[in-house]
Amino acid sequence: MPHTAPVRLPIPADAAHERDQRDSQQVVPAPTPIERIVAAQARGDWDAVTQLLEQHWSSLLRTSRAAMREVVNALPDAVLEAKSRWAAARQYLNFAPDDGRVRPARFDFEAAQPNDAGELIDDLAQYTGQTAHERGQGHFQSAATIAETAIEAVNQASSAEMKTLRPLLPGLRIQWATSLLFAGDIRAALTEFEVAYADAVAFDSDRMATAAAGSIALIHSLTGDLVLARSWLRRQPTALNGGFEGPGEFDGGPGDAVTVMGALAAANIAIDELNVEEARAWLAKDPGDEVAPEQWALRLGVASRMEVLSGDPLAQSLRNRAAVRARPAHLVADGLNGWALSFSDVGIRIALRDVRGATEAIAALDAGDSELHRQAALIARIWRLVRAGEHVQAVAVMESVPTDERSLRVGMELLAAATIIHLSAGAKARAAELFRTLTTMVAEQGFNGVLMRFSDEDYEALCASSGVRLKVREARRALVGELHTTAQAAVSDIRLTERERVVLRHLLQARKLNDIAAIEHVSPNTIKSQLRTLFKKLGVSSRDDAIKVGRRNPGLWSDVGL
């Protein structure tokens, strides 16, 4: 058969147009789910955003987690309040690891809708969103009440519901426990954190386990059970930033929102151990307010203890004041925040010998109704009486505290106070006996900070009479020497004129002579004259020395405390 060319039929114009359209559609792929979500976000169509997120949640977790996190973090408050499961979803995305280890069924909208606990999951998500919102507003008692409602709902769940719920619970429980803690209910918070830790370990959630264990360690460090605190720090998953065996092994730089409580606990423990260098190293691992904003008052509390032990308490007081003024009043006065700030204030004012300010700060602690408030106020009140020589009143206060209400920290502080009281009364044998008991507990717990309550003379006399020798002796002696040097610089009997006080305040703010004269509307010669009389009264010859004396003695330039 002869070869013939194929016959090409003409293509109608309409058909050609359809082919061109089809070819162009093949060239331009359809938008991916995350692209559609971002486009909806750009035009402010939040209904479309949330619908697409629910529809594609599981696949987005695998393919577009970072972009998904940005979108969920951008959801407006109205969306979060209308459907509070999105607040829980936001919490999850900010905590979830980026390496693909996602907990089973965690916010898996596609798979988890038809299950045995669907309605309960929605209720718990709503409770969790509400408690986080209330806590963020400083309504700590309200947040705790909602958390208790959520916990009770879980306690009443059926076995079938619990089977579905358990993978979801670690992150939710941490939110509830955090609300209880910030309301000051440390016992209930401790129980809930422990359950959260067990669930997190069971479902291989390293980050939730780290958050729970760090929070538990912090609570024990506050109550003085340092053995348990260290134990819980060691139970944090070591895969995160090299673990918490020590700051030298914490090689990942500053932590994040789940490591912050553990870092603060480790710093707090190091302060009680009188390990200044380690405490500062752990404080350097605190991620700060931008990463972990809720802990702002706690970090001020730990930093204040550090500066009182070895540093600059006046500068820390000014930092504390600035932090408080930068926040609304409802975040300052109540719950754990209120305790941390008042507790810090007491320590700083006592260190600066600001008697009036210390009395006001102790009264603020007394006004709180949490266990932490009561314990801190008790310790401060007893030591104020002991230092004032009012030993009969101090003993009466000590005897009024039931044994079952004494934390380990309170118990060791009371033992130290009783030792000093008996030593002052000449009962040396009894004082030595109490000192032996105290130092046994100190050695077990590492709570060396309580030994700073003794003067160097009393401490050496008690060591000699009791036969006790502790390894911390040299560290304590160095710190006592530093505090003694500061105390020697006290000039509480000096009385400055109002003009001299004003000039000293200007010096403390690093102002130069001409600047002070301009601010006060006087001549530089007048300021020079006032500086000469000021230096003479302070017994110094330079502005730098005057500043040092002023920083150590705020009573010189302030009538109403800091």
Side-chain angles (χ1 to χ4, degrees):
M1 174 179 292
H3 176 73
T4 57
V7 177
R8 300 184 181 277
L9 300 176
I11 300 174
D14 289 343
H17 178 69
E18 289 176 3
R19 184 191 64 189
D20 291 341
Q21 274 195 325
R22 186 167 59 252
D23 291 343
S24 65
Q25 288 172 354
Q26 290 173 349
V27 171
V28 181
T32 64
I34 193 63
E35 289 172 341
R36 293 165 62 196
I37 290 170
V38 171
Q41 176 190 3
R43 62 177 184 269
D45 189 351
W46 297 107
D47 287 338
V49 168
T50 53
Q51 289 172 10
L52 288 166
L53 282 171
E54 289 194 9
Q55 182 181 353
H56 299 284
W57 183 272
S58 294
S59 60
L60 290 171
L61 281 178
R62 294 188 297 271
T63 62
S64 309
R65 185 187 301 254
M68 186 181 182
R69 182 187 296 121
E70 291 183 7
V71 172
V72 173
N73 281 329
L75 290 174
D77 290 342
V79 174
L80 299 178
E81 291 170 2
K83 198 169 186 180
S84 53
R85 70 192 306 166
W86 287 111
R90 173 187 287 182
Q91 183 73 12
Y92 167 66
L93 284 170
N94 289 331
F95 275 62
D98 287 325
D99 59 4
R101 292 178 294 116
V102 183
R103 295 191 295 280
R106 180 64 161 142
F107 295 106
D108 186 344
F109 287 104
E110 297 172 16
Q113 290 299 325
N115 57 46
D116 293 319
E119 184 176 347
L120 181 54
I121 288 174
D122 284 340
D123 288 344
L124 295 180
Q126 181 176 355
Y127 293 143
T128 303
Q130 288 173 342
T131 193
H133 175 77
E134 290 297 301
R135 200 170 66 239
Q137 296 299 309
H139 305 149
F140 299 120
Q141 290 300 328
S142 175
T145 300
I146 296 169
E148 289 166 353
T149 301
I151 294 168
E152 182 59 26
V154 172
N155 292 339
Q156 298 297 324
S158 66
S159 57
E161 289 175 320
M162 284 302 296
K163 185 176 180 180
T164 300
L165 278 176
R166 282 202 67 197
L168 314 179
L169 285 178
L172 300 180
R173 286 193 187 278
I174 286 173
Q175 284 295 312
W176 307 336
T178 300
S179 291
L180 294 170
L181 176 60
F182 273 77
D185 193 345
I186 58 175
R187 295 175 190 269
L190 193 60
T191 298
E192 197 61 23
F193 276 126
E194 289 173 349
V195 177
Y197 179 84
D199 284 344
V201 170
F203 288 92
D204 195 28
S205 175
D206 285 353
R207 289 179 67 79
M208 292 301 100
T210 296
S215 298
I216 295 168
L218 180 63
I219 292 173
H220 286 308
S221 79
L222 296 178
T223 59
D225 196 334
L226 304 189
V227 170
L228 265 179
R230 294 187 198 92
S231 172
W232 277 101
L233 285 181
R234 288 191 293 270
R235 293 173 71 177
Q236 295 178 116
T238 56
L240 292 172
N241 293 321
F244 280 79
E245 292 297 326
E249 298 185 24
F250 190 106
D251 55 9
D256 59 18
V258 297
T259 62
V260 58
M261 298 294 262
L264 291 175
N268 212 34
I269 292 168
I271 292 168
D272 280 326
E273 293 172 336
L274 302 185
N275 194 332
V276 174
E277 183 178 347
E278 184 170 321
R280 293 197 185 280
W282 278 117
L283 284 173
K285 301 302 178 184
D286 170 32
D289 289 355
E290 289 187 7
V291 176
E294 274 197 300
Q295 289 79 11
W296 69 276
L298 278 175
R299 62 175 51 94
L300 289 178
V302 176
S304 296
R305 293 191 70 213
M306 181 69 260
E307 294 300 321
V308 166
L309 178 64
S310 176
D312 190 340
L314 177 57
Q316 185 62 41
S317 175
L318 298 176
R319 286 192 287 269
N320 291 0
R321 285 293 183 91
V324 167
R325 288 171 179 165
R327 287 169 172 82
H330 56 254
L331 287 178
V332 171
D334 298 326
L336 190 68
N337 288 357
W339 165 79
L341 296 171
S342 297
F343 181 66
S344 304
D345 211 15
V346 169
I348 287 172
R349 290 175 184 272
I350 289 175
L352 295 172
R353 295 172 298 284
D354 180 5
V355 177
R356 181 183 301 180
T359 302
E360 293 172 355
I362 293 172
L365 277 177
D366 270 325
D369 58 359
S370 75
E371 184 174 344
L372 288 173
H373 279 88
R374 291 191 296 272
Q375 291 180 8
L378 171 66
I379 292 170
R381 190 160 55 247
I382 287 172
W383 282 111
R384 183 179 59 177
L385 292 171
V386 171
R387 298 303 183 208
E390 299 175 3
H391 294 166
V392 174
Q393 296 93 320
V395 170
V397 174
M398 293 162 64
E399 291 179 344
S400 70
V401 183
T403 303
D404 60 351
E405 293 184 10
R406 299 180 183 181
S407 66
L408 276 170
R409 185 177 295 277
V410 168
M412 285 187 273
E413 293 279 6
L414 295 189
L415 267 174
T419 301
I420 291 176
I421 290 171
H422 280 85
L423 189 63
S424 300
K428 296 183 180 179
R430 178 57 176 161
E433 180 184 352
L434 291 172
F435 190 71
R436 277 193 294 272
T437 302
L438 172 64
T439 52
T440 298
M441 297 179 69
V442 166
E444 290 174 352
Q445 292 289 334
F447 187 28
N448 301 319
V450 73
L451 300 176
M452 298 297 292
R453 300 293 191 182
F454 299 94
S455 69
D456 203 38
E457 181 181 356
D458 286 348
Y459 180 77
E460 294 300 331
L462 287 164
C463 284
S465 61
S466 64
V468 168
R469 283 292 182 269
L470 295 174
K471 293 180 180 179
V472 75
R473 184 180 183 186
E474 293 306 317
R476 180 197 170 278
R477 179 175 291 175
L479 289 168
V480 167
E482 183 177 322
L483 295 174
H484 180 68
T485 300
T486 300
Q488 287 292 92
V491 286
S492 56
D493 56 333
I494 292 177
R495 296 291 180 269
L496 302 180
T497 66
E498 180 56 33
R499 295 307 307 164
E500 292 163 349
R501 296 162 76 85
V502 169
V503 170
L504 181 54
R505 280 195 287 268
H506 284 304
L507 292 182
L508 289 169
Q509 296 176 66
R511 289 183 178 135
K512 297 180 180 179
L513 186 147
N514 288 337
D515 294 332
I516 298 173
I519 293 171
E520 297 299 323
H521 304 291
V522 297
S523 71
N525 286 334
T526 299
I527 299 300
K528 285 182 182 179
S529 175
Q530 292 170 349
L531 282 173
R532 282 195 294 269
T533 59
L534 173 64
F535 290 174
K536 185 175 181 180
K537 286 186 178 181
L538 297 182
V540 300
S541 57
S542 69
R543 62 181 289 138
D544 288 343
D545 288 339
I547 289 171
K548 290 178 182 177
V549 174
R551 289 172 74 85
R552 292 168 179 164
N553 299 274
L556 287 174
W557 45 268
S558 174
D559 290 322
V560 292
L562 302 179

